[in-house]
């Protein structure tokens, strides 16, 4: 996500031969990429890192099964069998407030069973209101935490982000919108309303449609047709949605909790096709 100007500044300060780039290609959602080895910049070597060093093996293995079921292109993350353990729980609850209450109860069980874990070690990912008509998950999360007299950090709050305020208490449960969860992680991660978020990014992808049309016209010339464009657009929409879905699915180190509002949603059907021994359904 760096700009060319950022890259050039780094090279000017340190020298290109001393820069190591860790490129998280599986989390990339922007079409405009920084080219780190353009022109006369010498690239020493490329080291692909496919084995997950962060997520426990069982969790990573289930996420990989989900990626394969969704036919995510070029997904090559492999579990590290030396990092044993991990769990995936799917919570089905159509009522938003009750869903948050039940998800936090699951997190509470983790805090009791793992004495070294603190609330700040967990992460809650919430959908934006545009994805959940009639329900504001951020407000509901706050209401439930206030009712429980529990501490929390509002990573979705504009002032918090503007002032770069970070969690400063071990008792503060971190909560962010899905759009802000890239680069974050939780020992346990709650993905609230994930099926609604997935449906939303499929229906409203951040794609420059006119630029996509112009690019296809340039590529196909007189062979360009509206049907070819519709096919290309559908492929771009799906790729965009899959990228955004896999980002929250890979935020957990140990326990991943996926909340579905409906088992027959698009994501619900996919998860029901995963080996039942790998998912704890609640």
């Amino acid at each position: 996500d760096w700009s060319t100007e950022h890259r050039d500044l780094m090279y000017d300060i340190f020298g290109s031969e001393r820069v190591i780039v860790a490129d998280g290609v599986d989390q990339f959602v922007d079409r405009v990429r920084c080219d780190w080895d353009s022109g006369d910049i010498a690239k020493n070597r490329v080291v692909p890192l496919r084995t997950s060093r962060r997520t426990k093996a069982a969790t990573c293995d289930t996420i990989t099964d989900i990626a394969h079921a969704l036919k995510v292109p070029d997904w090559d993350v492999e579990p590290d069998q030396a990092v044993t353990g991990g769990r995936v729980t799917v919570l089905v609850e159509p009522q938003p407030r009750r869903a948050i209450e039940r998800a936090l109860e699951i997190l509470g069980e983790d805090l009791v069973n793992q004495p070294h874990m603190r609330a700040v070690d967990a992460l809650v990912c919430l959908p934006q209101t545009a994805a959940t008509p009639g329900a504001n998950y951020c407000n509901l999360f706050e209401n439930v935490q206030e009712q429980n007299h529990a501490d929390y950090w509002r990573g979705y709050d504009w002032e918090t982000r503007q002032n770069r305020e970070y969690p400063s208490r071990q008792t503060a449960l971190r909560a962010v919108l899905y759009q802000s969860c890239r680069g974050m992680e939780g020992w346990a991660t709650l993905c609230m309303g994930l099926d609604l978020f997935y449906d939303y990014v499929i229906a409203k992808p951040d794609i420059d449609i006119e630029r996509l049309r112009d690019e296809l016209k340039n590529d196909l010339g007189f062979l360009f047709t509206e049907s070819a464009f519709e096919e290309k657009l559908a492929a771009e929409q799906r790729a965009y949605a899959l990228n955004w879905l896999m980002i929250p699915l890979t935020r957990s180190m140990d326990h991943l909790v996926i909340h579905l509002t409906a088992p027959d949603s698009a994501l619900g059907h996919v998860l029901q096709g995963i080996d039942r021994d790998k998912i704890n359904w609640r």
Side-chain angles (χ1 to χ4, degrees):
D1 292 345
W2 287 49
S3 69
T4 301
E5 291 77 15
H6 289 147
R7 178 201 67 190
D8 293 343
L9 177 62
M10 293 292 290
Y11 287 164
D12 289 342
I13 295 174
F14 300 106
S16 61
E17 72 281 358
R18 300 182 62 198
V19 175
I20 298 174
V21 180
D23 189 7
V25 293
D26 291 324
Q27 298 182 32
F28 201 82
V29 293
D30 198 341
R31 289 173 59 88
V32 181
R33 305 197 59 164
C34 178
D35 188 356
W36 287 87
D37 58 330
S38 61
D40 59 352
I41 299 171
K43 181 163 58 177
N44 188 354
R45 63 183 181 275
V46 175
V47 181
L49 302 175
R50 296 189 174 90
T51 303
S52 174
R53 303 296 186 189
R54 182 189 66 190
T55 305
K56 288 186 176 181
T59 306
C60 183
D61 182 57
T62 304
I63 294 168
T64 297
D65 284 355
I66 295 172
H68 290 163
L70 288 163
K71 295 181 173 58
V72 177
D74 302 322
W75 187 263
D76 56 5
V77 180
E78 301 171 358
D80 184 346
Q81 299 302 334
V83 186
T84 58
R87 293 168 294 151
V88 175
T89 297
V90 174
L91 168 66
V92 180
E93 175 57 60
Q95 211 285 328
R97 182 186 177 91
R98 181 58 184 150
I100 292 174
E101 292 173 340
R102 291 180 60 191
L104 292 176
E105 288 171 2
I106 294 172
L107 178 59
E109 295 169 6
D110 283 5
L111 290 168
V112 170
N113 295 328
Q114 302 183 64
H116 296 294
M117 181 182 172
R118 299 291 182 265
V120 75
D121 298 326
L123 179 68
V124 179
C125 298
L126 302 167
Q128 68 269 47
T129 54
T132 58
N136 187 320
Y137 273 73
C138 294
N139 286 349
L140 291 172
F141 168 75
E142 292 182 24
N143 291 339
V144 172
Q145 286 294 87
E146 296 285 352
Q147 178 180 307
N148 295 335
H149 304 289
D151 195 6
Y152 58 95
W153 174 76
R154 301 190 305 170
Y156 48 79
D157 184 73
W158 184 86
E159 289 188 2
T160 298
R161 293 171 55 80
Q162 181 74 10
N163 298 330
R164 297 186 179 274
E165 299 173 7
Y166 299 100
S168 58
R169 300 177 301 277
Q170 291 187 342
T171 55
L173 175 59
R174 296 172 299 147
V176 297
L177 292 178
Y178 281 115
Q179 298 97 311
S180 303
C181 73
R182 260 192 316 173
M184 301 192 72
E185 59 189 21
W187 187 254
T189 299
L190 311 182
C191 294
M192 302 304 305
L194 188 59
D195 54 346
L196 298 179
F197 173 72
Y198 181 50
D199 290 344
Y200 179 79
V201 291
I202 287 178
K204 297 186 179 297
D206 185 11
I207 296 175
D208 188 334
I209 295 179
E210 290 309 312
R211 183 173 68 177
L212 184 66
R213 181 188 296 274
D214 291 341
E215 289 176 353
L216 192 62
K217 283 183 176 179
N218 290 334
D219 291 341
L220 298 182
F222 67 90
L223 296 177
F224 174 86
T225 62
E226 280 300 319
S227 61
F229 170 70
E230 293 297 332
E231 182 178 344
K232 178 67 173 178
L233 178 59
E236 291 286 329
Q237 289 174 318
R238 174 174 167 76
Y240 179 87
L242 289 178
N243 278 348
W244 266 116
L245 177 64
M246 297 311 298
I247 290 170
L249 285 178
T250 53
R251 296 307 91 203
S252 176
M253 290 182 276
D254 176 46
H255 189 189
L256 174 65
V257 181
I258 303 170
H259 164 233
L260 299 176
T261 61
D264 59 350
S265 61
L267 181 58
H269 281 299
V270 171
L271 295 179
Q272 290 187 71
I274 304 300
D275 189 338
R276 301 290 288 196
D277 292 335
K278 294 185 177 183
I279 294 178
N280 177 28
W281 287 80
R282 300 277 289 260

